[in-house]
Every structure is written in structure tokens, then in C-alpha cells.
Amino acid sequence: MDHKTYLTKKNFCVLPWIGVYIQPNGDVRNCAVTPETIGNINNEKLVNILEGQANQNIKKDMLSNVFHDRCSHCYRLEHNQRNSFDQVSNRVWYLKTVKDDDLSMFDQPENYTLKMLDLRWSNTCNFACVYCDEYLSSAWARELNKTPIINEQALQESLEYIYNNLESVKHVYLAGGEPLLIKENVVLLEKLKEINPDVTIRINTNLSVIDGPVYKLLKTFKNVHWTVSVDSIEEEFEYVRYGGTWTKFVKNLQELTQDFKLINFNSTWFVLNGSSILKCFDFLQGMGFHENTFIVNPLDTPAPWHVSNLPIHMIDDIRIKLKAKLATSNPKYSLYNSLQLMLNYLDIPFDKNIDSTFAELKELDQRRGLDSSTVFTELYNLIEGK
């Protein structure tokens, strides 16, 4: 099939043929948004997982036009992004990256060539964002006294497999944890600089530490795309992204703009920033960032953080604000598409349980010595009728 044909096959994703996503506990998945694993490097060699029967079965189904439950996140985003779904779907984004490749490799389920790396070797992170967990944040793990660990031998074997295939790699995505703090990224970048210096590197960061070796190595590559995670501003930022400091974030962002040109923002949209996320957009636009630098990910799980837990009158107010922001945004750019996605997302049926949200906030407050009611006053006032 040609590229256009693959693009029109809306069940099809290239990642089972070319990608790998490794989690801090050793789980291997086809991508970051699927909930299902295809193996774990603590139990099986990475090469055997990627070329094994479980992954081949997924490819066979895709070639047979099966819409997999494991891919429902992308399918749902595409369905609800009626205007331009390619802005928000991992499936289509990765499909577009291979448009100049020999697409015959996708004709057979037995084929596999490593081209896309999504590596999260460690949960090392200095933040404990409210919607995260111990699997992706060592700060969370310390709070809960839980730490997912990849067996050291399994880690080294997987690293060697990846090092031996770096020449074919086109895109590297570094996340975490916090990728600027993960030591394995230092060696990986050193080897990439030697073997494949023209590779495209994307890094998703909280931008809290820019004076370490990972940041310095990234400055030596010419194709580095930064995705900065930020959802709120000021005291909301510091509550949501617990461990972060708003003034330090702004200072580091200003420095980042001096060192790199390709910067965008990834914002998680959930119950605590239902409308205040727009203040975040306004602040960043005020710093000079273009409308085409904003991507929003509505949070599906855990359920207590879902934006649709908010009562109807608050949802209606959010709709009004989103439409007002849409009216001043350019339909050609990702901010407009993200705002439209958010509006469409509010129409998806959801069983509200705001009590579960407050229970989560109470637990966080008690464990961290915080008071969410002083930060999210509008939420508390509207819910409690004060």
C-alpha cells in the first residue's frame, strides 16, 4: 500500500513495526497512550518482545482492519477532533513520520525495524504531579514507599539492543520521570552523537533542571524539539506540579528560548484546571509563544481527576470561556484545534463523582501538608455553596 492508503486506514498504526516504549517498571508497549503491554524486559529479552508473537498478532489485526481496544485513545481523539485530528493523534503523527520510507515493510507482520524510541528508563523525577503516580515519579514513590525497578541485567541487555540499532533510529522521545535527570539518557545521547547525530530528538520535560549533563548534551544536537509540560500558573502550578516553583519555571523557560527554537507546550486538562488552563495559555502567549505551540491532553484516568466531574454550571461556564478563546484563535493552528477538542470532550458521557475528587484532594493535602481549598477557591466555593 502507498502512504495515502495507510493514512486512510484509520485503524492502522506504524508503531508495532517500528517503535518501542519502555516504562520504568520494565513494561514494553507499542506506544505511550496504549494501556496494554506486549511484554516486560525483566522477564524476556527486548528483541524477543518486539519480534515476538504478541506484537505480530497486533500487526496481523491491523492489516485485517481490526480496531484494537489498545488503540482506543487515538481513535477517540480522532473521532472527537472533527476539525483536524492529526494535531492530536499519536497514531497519525507517527504515520506521517514515515511518509518518505519504503512502506512495504508494513505489509508483513513478521517485519520489525527499530525507528522510534520512547524511553522512560527510570521514574526519577523531582515532581509529584497530582495526576501522576509512583510508576512515573520517584517523588511519588517516596511518598508511598513504592519504587518500580527494572532488573539491572535486563536494563543493560535492552540498552545494548538499542545501542546496536541506533543507526536506523529516526526519532527519539525522552520522557520519564524527568528525562533531564535520568542518567541513562547521558550515555544514550553520547552514542547518538557519535552514530546518528542527525536524529530528531523530542523531549518532554518539567523544565526544572537545565544545568545538568543531559541538557548540555542536547545543546549539541541540531534537531531537538522541546515539549514543556505546564498546566497552570503561579500557586496552582505549584500545587498541581508539586515540587515545582513557578518563578524558577519561568526563568528556565526564558533561558530555554535562548538555547533552542523548537518549543511547544503539553498541558494536561483535568478537574483542577478546568477553566484556569486558559490563564496558562494567555501567560505563555504573553511571553511571545505562537498559537501553534499548544497541545492539550484531556485526562481520562484516574477518574477523580476527570474534568467532567465538575457540576453542570461549571462545565457550562467552561464552554463559554472556551468559545470566547476560540473566537480569538486562528483555526490553522494547534491552539484552536486543542480548544475545539476540549469542547468536544465535554460532550462525552461521564459519570460524575465530585466527592471522589475531594477525597483525593483531602488525601494529598494530609500527606503533603497542603491546603487545596486556599488554592482552588472557586472550586470549593461553588461546590460547597459558600
Side-chain angles (χ1 to χ4, degrees):
M1 287 183 285
D2 59 21
H3 184 261
K4 183 178 180 180
T5 303
Y6 276 118
L7 182 61
T8 58
K9 283 175 64 69
K10 293 188 176 181
N11 76 305
F12 185 83
C13 181
V14 298
L15 288 176
W17 279 264
I18 63 173
V20 62
Y21 166 55
I22 302 177
Q23 292 187 284
N25 65 350
D27 279 346
V28 179
R29 302 183 184 186
N30 295 124
C31 75
V33 297
T34 181
E36 298 184 36
T37 66
I38 57 173
N40 186 294
I41 64 172
N42 290 317
N43 306 321
E44 189 177 4
K45 290 183 182 297
L46 180 59
V47 61
N48 294 337
I49 295 172
L50 297 176
E51 298 179 0
Q53 195 60 53
N55 200 31
Q56 287 190 36
N57 288 341
I58 294 169
K59 290 183 274 189
K60 289 177 182 177
D61 285 343
M62 287 187 170
L63 291 172
S64 299
N65 206 37
V66 172
F67 283 75
H68 257 289
D69 287 344
R70 67 175 57 242
C71 302
S72 60
H73 180 82
C74 283
Y75 299 153
R76 184 169 58 252
L77 287 178
E78 293 167 17
H79 176 74
N80 287 287
Q81 187 68 353
R82 304 173 189 124
N83 190 28
S84 178
F85 68 76
D86 63 324
Q87 294 284 349
V88 294
S89 164
N90 272 21
R91 184 188 76 86
V92 176
W93 190 92
Y94 280 106
L95 180 58
K96 292 166 74 174
T97 66
V98 300
K99 66 181 187 300
D100 298 323
D101 292 3
D102 178 5
L103 300 184
S104 64
M105 73 167 294
F106 302 114
D107 293 340
Q108 300 298 327
E110 296 82 9
N111 295 339
Y112 185 87
T113 301
L114 186 64
K115 294 188 178 185
M116 309 291 179
L117 294 176
D118 186 337
L119 302 177
R120 311 178 191 210
W121 300 114
S122 166
N123 69 340
T124 300
C125 188
N126 52 344
F127 283 13
C129 301
V130 298
Y131 45 73
C132 196
D133 56 36
E134 68 272 21
Y135 295 102
L136 297 176
S137 164
S138 57
W140 257 101
R142 284 192 297 272
E143 283 191 11
L144 303 178
N145 196 28
K146 298 179 181 179
T147 305
I149 298 174
I150 295 178
N151 176 277
E152 188 61 31
Q153 181 179 348
L155 175 60
Q156 291 305 314
E157 289 177 351
S158 300
L159 283 168
E160 287 303 316
Y161 170 79
I162 288 171
Y163 294 159
N164 291 335
N165 288 276
L166 286 179
E167 190 172 355
S168 64
V169 171
K170 295 180 63 175
H171 292 264
V172 176
Y173 184 64
L174 300 178
E178 171 46 49
L180 294 178
L181 296 175
I182 295 175
K183 60 183 177 60
E184 285 80 9
N185 289 339
V186 176
V187 178
L188 176 69
L189 291 172
E190 288 174 343
K191 290 186 177 295
L192 278 170
K193 188 64 181 176
E194 176 185 354
I195 298 169
N196 193 350
D198 294 329
V199 68
T200 295
I201 299 172
R202 294 190 299 139
I203 182 163
N204 193 324
T205 175
N206 63 32
L207 205 64
S208 60
V209 180
I210 59 173
D211 57 358
V214 176
Y215 188 86
K216 292 175 182 176
L217 277 165
L218 287 167
K219 289 173 67 173
T220 69
F221 288 84
K222 63 181 182 180
N223 298 318
V224 181
H225 299 228
W226 289 83
T227 297
V228 178
S229 295
V230 58
D231 330 286
S232 306
I233 64 172
E234 299 173 341
E235 61 178 354
E236 277 196 21
F237 172 92
E238 294 181 358
Y239 187 95
V240 171
R241 306 187 68 75
Y242 181 65
T245 304
W246 173 247
T247 55
K248 184 177 182 181
F249 171 81
V250 174
K251 179 178 179 294
N252 287 351
L253 182 57
Q254 291 169 335
E255 185 171 336
L256 183 69
T257 62
Q258 301 301 312
D259 294 332
F260 297 91
K261 300 301 181 185
L262 297 174
I263 302 169
N264 63 12
F265 299 95
N266 182 38
S267 298
T268 298
W269 188 45
F270 69 123
V271 67
L272 296 184
N273 66 347
S275 62
S276 63
I277 192 173
L278 298 177
K279 296 178 182 178
C280 184
F281 298 159
D282 290 342
F283 177 87
L284 295 170
Q285 286 183 274
M287 287 185 66
F289 288 101
H290 193 273
E291 289 183 47
N292 212 31
T293 60
F294 297 92
I295 297 294
V296 175
N297 288 303
L299 192 69
D300 288 325
T301 58
W305 297 129
H306 198 294
V307 68
S308 292
N309 280 305
L310 295 171
I312 295 297
H313 64 281
M314 292 185 71
I315 295 293
D316 289 342
D317 182 64
I318 291 171
R319 282 196 177 95
I320 292 170
K321 292 176 179 178
L322 287 174
K323 289 177 181 178
K325 184 70 173 175
L326 267 172
T328 63
S329 301
N330 191 322
K332 295 180 180 179
Y333 300 127
S334 61
L335 175 59
Y336 184 95
N337 290 325
S338 291
L339 294 168
Q340 189 64 60
L341 168 68
M342 294 161 74
L343 271 174
N344 295 338
Y345 192 76
L346 293 175
D347 294 332
I348 299 174
F350 179 79
D351 293 328
K352 296 178 182 295
N353 186 358
I354 194 65
D355 289 340
S356 68
T357 302
F358 279 98
E360 291 290 331
L361 287 170
K362 181 178 180 180
E363 183 177 334
L364 284 174
D365 285 351
Q366 290 176 342
R367 191 165 65 238
R368 297 175 177 179
L370 302 175
D371 184 356
S372 56
S373 68
T374 66
V375 180
F376 305 99
T377 54
E378 181 182 10
L379 175 65
Y380 277 83
N381 288 342
L382 286 169
I383 296 299
E384 298 178 0
K386 294 181 179 178

